[in-house]
Amino acid sequence: MRKHLADFVAEDRDALVFTGAAGAVLRRSNFQRTCNWRASVATVGLPGFHFHDLRHTGNTLASRTGASLADLMAEWVMPPPGRC
């Protein structure tokens, strides 16, 4: 991850960590194809793992470092339908 950040991500605090080929935001409509998600997660032994599952993983890790429920809710609130 450090190498990816150093090689591909701008220093700007709001820089995108992962982008499409043209450097734009990855959209739901092109994510699977762009990232080859299914093959990638199968390769690391997580077949059936969905991108959305990372939200749960992130919340679990944050809670283990002392984040309160209020912290988690403020940081990880779900966007309105159709906007994620």
Side-chain angles (χ1 to χ4, degrees), residues 8-84:
F8 299 105
V9 181
E11 296 280 332
D12 179 8
R13 182 173 191 247
D14 294 324
L16 299 172
V17 176
F18 299 104
T19 62
V25 173
L26 285 171
R27 303 276 181 216
R28 181 181 296 188
S29 60
N30 69 0
F31 177 78
Q32 296 285 345
R33 181 181 61 252
T34 301
C35 297
N36 201 13
W37 181 261
R38 287 183 187 98
S40 298
V41 295
T43 298
V44 297
L46 296 170
F49 190 82
H50 299 94
F51 186 80
H52 184 82
D53 296 336
L54 294 172
R55 290 181 63 84
H56 305 287
T57 303
N59 275 330
T60 298
L61 295 173
S63 69
R64 288 181 182 170
T65 64
S68 68
L69 180 57
D71 294 332
L72 297 175
M73 291 174 69
E75 189 65 31
W76 296 96
V77 64
M78 287 293 292
R83 300 205 57 203
C84 43

